[in-house]
Amino acid sequence: MTDYIGLHEQYALVPPQTFVDRFTLHWTEKFDMPASEPLRKLWRIMANTYQQSIIATAQGQLTRWRVLQPPTGPGKWSTQASKPS
């Protein structure tokens, strides 16, 4: 898969759809897990949030922390992290 980083004004940013596509590919191939619609929605929220933050920082704007409210629910534990030793 070849992805192109688009020039958005003077910044080189990954387009949100490319971000979602690559996360989907990684999730399904690396972890052999289905990429549900809520996960795709979360990845798009992440991409948009990262893009907004990068642009604001590059323009010298002071911004507050950005808190994501994922449609998958907060506080998910990794199955590997939650297994007893």
Side-chain angles (χ1 to χ4, degrees):
M1 171 183 264
T2 302
D3 292 323
Y4 298 96
I5 296 175
L7 293 177
H8 303 275
E9 298 176 24
Q10 69 265 30
Y11 311 113
L13 301 170
V14 176
Q17 187 58 53
T18 300
F19 186 91
V20 172
D21 292 344
R22 292 305 298 257
F23 255 79
T24 300
L25 187 65
H26 181 73
W27 190 258
T28 57
E29 289 186 0
K30 174 79 174 172
F31 301 121
D32 196 29
M33 299 286 291
S36 66
E37 200 51 43
L39 271 176
R40 289 171 154 329
K41 186 175 180 181
L42 168 61
W43 296 330
R44 179 167 293 282
I45 290 168
M46 289 170 57
N48 288 326
T49 301
Y50 295 154
Q51 195 170 88
Q52 292 166 3
S53 182
I54 290 165
I55 291 170
T57 300
Q59 293 175 344
Q61 298 174 11
L62 298 176
T63 60
R64 302 177 75 108
W65 282 92
R66 296 167 192 264
V67 178
L68 303 179
Q69 296 179 339
T72 55
K76 300 293 185 205
W77 280 89
S78 163
T79 56
Q80 294 301 313
S82 62
K83 287 183 181 177
S85 302

